[in-house]
Amino acid sequence: MTVTDARRVARRDKRRVILDAAAPIFGDEGYERASIDAIATAAGVSKPTIYSYFGGKEQLFRESVADSAVQQNAQVLEVIQRLDLSAQGWLASLRDLAMKLTECQRTPCAVFLARMIAAETARDPEVYRVVRVKAATPILEALAGRLAMLGNAGHLIVPDPALAARQFLALISAEIAELTEHGTRPVSDERVRAAVSAGVDTFLRAHAQASR
Amino acid sequence: MTVTDARRVARRDKRRVILDAAAPIFGDEGYERASIDAIATAAGVSKPTIYSYFGGKEQLFRESVADSAVQQNAQVLEVIQRLDLSAQGWLASLRDLAMKLTECQRTPCAVFLARMIAAETARDPEVYRVVRVKAATPILEALAGRLAMLGNAGHLIVPDPALAARQFLALISAEIAELTEHGTRPVSDERVRAAVSAGVDTFLRAHAQASR
Amino acid sequence: MTVTDARRVARRDKRRVILDAAAPIFGDEGYERASIDAIATAAGVSKPTIYSYFGGKEQLFRESVADSAVQQNAQVLEVIQRLDLSAQGWLASLRDLAMKLTECQRTPCAVFLARMIAAETARDPEVYRVVRVKAATPILEALAGRLAMLGNAGHLIVPDPALAARQFLALISAEIAELTEHGTRPVSDERVRAAVSAGVDTFLRAHAQASR
Amino acid sequence: MTVTDARRVARRDKRRVILDAAAPIFGDEGYERASIDAIATAAGVSKPTIYSYFGGKEQLFRESVADSAVQQNAQVLEVIQRLDLSAQGWLASLRDLAMKLTECQRTPCAVFLARMIAAETARDPEVYRVVRVKAATPILEALAGRLAMLGNAGHLIVPDPALAARQFLALISAEIAELTEHGTRPVSDERVRAAVSAGVDTFLRAHAQASR
DNA sequence: TATGAATGAGATTTCATTCAT
DNA sequence: GATGAATGAAATCTCATTCAT
């Protein structure tokens, strides 16, 4: 490995350290309240270092959002790909998928993304766009694909898989915000499971085969 | 009318003027970026006047949220109460209700509330709570009541009206965020109508009578 | 009593009420920190009333100082006039006078005056001047007169009574500031008495007749 | 000298510059009227620099008082240590000491301290305490020690040196406040000398050997 | 390259003072 | 004559950003 390579790796490492420090602070405080000072301290670097790596607060923020979106995407895609399509297993596996997706949504990373989209998209539409490109769309497409497979296999009626995917996500989280008081109250897994299940039930009823 | 009454009215009017000026600024800029200066200028009063009426930025913000929640509640409740329960009318009226609710959700007032809940609840959980008490819960209960009536009338199967209400709202807005790119892009009524309709369709399929 | 007279009395009463409210607030907070609002509330009147009676904060302050000086003067003069000049009584009476003067110095009114002179004379020399005219000089002259009488009576040697008066006051308070930590600590009468007595002793030694 | 050392020196220098700028402004204006802006301008630095060095107005004030107390202490201790104890010299030297102490008391630094104690101790008792620890007590002890030496040498009768020290200071300044109208009027050295001398005379009479 | 030091700009908040009733 | 309401001006303090080492 050459000296230059070593430097490039060091750079990448420090980028990672800064991004990992930035996300929870942006997530907890919001864009405005989050101070570069706090991020620098948390990352164990000095402020000018952050400026040299990212250029400014806004850019750091965007990269932080994009980075979280990528992480979120990877996590969720893996979950989706595990859906069992077999005749015996698909139903239980779909319920399981719903729970796993809900867990992913309650990850600090996902909470951060959701908050930033809601809070900062009006100020900077790029925030929404980057999350859509790096997470929302791939996730929806993957989920739509899997639901289509369930349709093809004759387990469900899925005339519009993309729509079904969106509705699936909407239904399984329909009760979550109220249940957790927007993330300000801890809730037992039991109750989360019940809420998610109710969403899956409705989804299944809406897409059931006539015979069922 | 006595002098005191006149003063009380003047006070109330000025409160209104300030609240009306504050909501869009908080909504556009978020709590931190919104400056008292800007709100004062928009309201046509001086900064100290705002402090004398509301005590401080945080209190003004809370009152602004509460005020918007009350307005939102009034608007939505009126829409819900217009649901036609008759055998011939209920289906078209339910579709119409879904559209009207969606319109209410895209009102500046509702956009403001949604953004503030997402952005500021982590900082101040009271934000979520006041909106729940003054808007979310009454709206859900009213909607649940109406859906129950549709159940009683034999038009739909509604074993859990409160759940059905939440899912109804979730389904009709499942596609809206993506469609409008989180409110950053204008969208034709046509496309909104299609998105809402798809949600209603799914809801109906999930709650259909066996005979249908 | 005519209507006009009644009004004049009412005016004087309200002046008194305001002055009585102002002195402790100025005394506790200092000129800058004391707010007209607080004084108005304490006096049970509105701010504009204070402005109509006194013209402004600075004038209210000056009148408050002058008023306290007059009160202080009256109190102290009465104490001084009670000095017993008789051969048997003068010594005990002088000790008693020293204690009474010290008590007068620890009165809220006197503490207020002392603080205001030290704190505000640099900003407004008139503060010192008015206290000197209305309190310090009359008090010193009265005390000097009494000490001269003790000299004439042959009890003490007092070649310069005015100087002796100043030194008497200086000596009896030489230990007080340290003892009370500048008024921030309560101290037993016992210890105050001892400190004052030590001052009187020194004074007596310095002005003793040869025979003593 | 390393880079770190150079920085540490630079920091210390800038601290000094700020403290030197702050003392006269606090002294002239008092705590409340003194503005950080004015101090920053006088020191030739920006406001945030002051905040980074001292944390806030209150802390800057305390450090300013402590710093002045240390300076005052150094100055006065040096004067006291010069007291000549020899049989031929002590009397003239004591008179000289009294004058020098009076000059020290009229220094801007001492005026600042006296004013701040009187004006701000009620708000923050720490002000008095720090001055006592860093200046008043050491000075009194040093003076008491010297007076005790005069007693040991048989020049004066000094049964309680600490008390004698306090009274000495009280007597030599008994006339100063009135003479200078609390520092608002310039006074000839001649008159100051006479006032101080009168205090020393009384002190000497009170502590004279029987033979004298 | 990385950093300690410094700052310009702007935020909230307070207060003495005046106006209109 | 007395007051509720309103405001201009100024205070403290914070922060993103840059410079010099």
Side-chain angles (χ1 to χ4, degrees), chain A residues 32-33 115 117-119 121-123 128 132 140 163 166-167 170 174-175 178 181-182 184 198-199 202 205-206, chain B residues 32-33 115 117-119 121-123 128 132 140 163 166-167 170 174-175 178 181-182 184 198-199 202 205-206:
Chain A
E32 290 293 334
R33 286 175 95 85
R115 182 178 175 191
I117 288 174
T121 289
R123 184 176 57 83
Y128 170 74
R132 190 181 51 178
L140 273 171
L163 173 64
R166 281 187 206 103
Q167 292 182 338
E175 297 190 294
E178 197 175 351
E181 296 190 1
H182 238 88
T184 59
T202 297
R205 257 198 310 280
Chain B
E32 291 293 334
R33 282 178 99 84
R115 181 176 176 190
I117 288 174
T121 289
R123 185 178 55 84
Y128 170 74
R132 191 181 50 177
L140 272 172
L163 174 64
R166 278 186 209 104
Q167 292 182 337
E175 297 190 294
E178 196 176 350
E181 297 190 1
H182 238 87
T184 60
T202 297
R205 257 197 311 279

Side-chain angles (χ1 to χ4, degrees), chain C residues 82-187:
Chain C
R82 288 208 190 124
L83 179 62
D84 179 357
L85 301 170
S86 71
Q88 321 88 289
W90 74 271
L91 190 53
S93 180
L94 190 66
R95 281 187 193 283
D96 191 53
L97 171 61
M99 264 308 283
K100 290 227 169 68
L101 287 175
T102 300
E103 277 160 23
C104 284
Q105 297 285 45
R106 298 178 67 209
T107 284
C109 171
V111 168
F112 163 56
L113 283 177
R115 182 178 174 189
M116 291 305 109
I117 288 174
E120 309 299 343
T121 290
R123 186 177 55 84
D124 175 8
E126 197 56 28
V127 170
Y128 170 73
R129 249 167 256 149
V130 76
V131 176
R132 190 180 51 178
V133 169
K134 304 226 181 228
T137 299
I139 287 170
L140 272 172
E141 299 223 333
L143 183 57
R146 288 286 157 161
L147 293 179
M149 293 176 197
L150 290 179
N152 283 346
H155 304 318
L156 289 174
I157 299 176
V158 189
D160 182 342
L163 173 65
R166 278 186 210 104
Q167 292 182 337
F168 184 78
L169 292 175
L171 282 169
I172 66 178
S173 48
E175 296 190 295
I176 298 298
E178 197 176 351
L179 195 61
T180 64
E181 297 191 1
H182 238 88
T184 60
R185 221 185 50 181
V187 178

Side-chain angles (χ1 to χ4, degrees), chain C residues 32-33 115 117-119 121-123 128-129 132 140 163 166-167 175 178 181-182 184 198-199 202 205-206, chain D residues 32-33 115 117-119 121-123 128 132 140 163 166-167 170 174-175 178 181-182 184 198-199 202 205-206:
Chain C
E32 290 294 333
R33 284 176 96 85
R115 182 178 174 189
I117 288 174
T121 290
R123 186 177 55 84
Y128 170 73
R129 249 167 256 149
R132 190 180 51 178
L140 272 172
L163 173 65
R166 278 186 210 104
Q167 292 182 337
E175 296 190 295
E178 197 176 351
E181 297 191 1
H182 238 88
T184 60
T202 298
R205 257 197 311 280
Chain D
E32 290 293 334
R33 283 176 97 85
R115 181 176 175 191
I117 289 175
T121 289
R123 185 177 56 84
Y128 169 74
R132 189 181 52 177
L140 272 171
L163 174 64
R166 281 187 206 102
Q167 292 183 337
E175 296 190 295
E178 196 176 352
E181 298 192 0
H182 237 85
T184 59
T202 297
R205 258 198 310 279

Side-chain angles (χ1 to χ4, degrees), chain D residues 89-120:
Chain D
W90 75 269
L91 189 54
S93 181
L94 190 67
R95 280 188 195 282
D96 191 51
L97 171 61
M99 264 309 283
K100 291 228 168 66
L101 288 175
T102 301
E103 277 159 22
C104 284
Q105 297 284 44
R106 298 177 67 209
T107 281
C109 172
V111 168
F112 163 56
L113 283 178
R115 181 176 175 191
M116 291 306 107
I117 289 175
E120 310 299 342

